[in-house]
Amino acid sequence: MVREELSLEWSDVAIQAARNLGLDTSPAYVSDEHWQRILASVEIRMRMRGIEAPVGWREDLAARFCREERHARPEPDEDFAGYQPAGDEGGYDGPES
């Protein structure tokens, strides 16, 4: 399945969202926390305009602003995928009684 390119409206809405959050810089340069707030705002604003968010829109918008996707989920490590520490194996069982 080929993803459609985001319209420029998405970028415009991101810039407006940054301004409305009181940020005086491009979304390309905001902190990760502010970027997450911008993404949430963009999603809500586009939904209010009757535009459904396409698959992968966050990554596409990040690429448009030359932001690397820092929060992409890493592939699980096969050696540790099912490992859950417990008891004396390094897990926290609460305060000593």
Side-chain angles (χ1 to χ4, degrees):
M1 182 168 104
V2 176
R3 290 189 345 202
E4 288 184 34
E5 186 174 330
L6 287 180
S7 69
L8 292 178
E9 183 178 10
W10 289 81
S11 301
D12 293 340
V13 169
I15 292 168
Q16 291 170 5
R19 278 193 212 119
N20 289 344
L21 289 169
L23 306 172
D24 57 356
T25 187
S26 165
Y29 302 110
V30 299
S31 68
D32 290 342
E33 293 82 11
H34 286 122
W35 177 246
Q36 292 304 314
R37 292 179 68 192
I38 289 170
L39 289 177
S41 182
V42 167
E43 186 172 22
I44 291 167
R45 289 166 188 250
M46 296 305 280
R47 194 177 318 132
M48 288 179 6
R49 294 178 183 194
I51 300 172
E52 208 49 47
V55 173
W57 72 272
R58 287 178 181 86
E59 293 83 5
D60 293 345
L61 194 58
R64 184 165 293 163
F65 284 106
C66 299
R67 291 183 62 93
E68 63 180 80
E69 251 327 280
R70 298 176 189 117
H71 300 292
R73 291 184 180 193
E75 292 297 317
D77 187 338
E78 291 179 17
D79 293 335
F80 297 103
Y83 177 73
Q84 293 293 324
D88 292 334
E89 296 178 22
Y92 178 72
D93 292 332
E96 299 274 332
S97 21

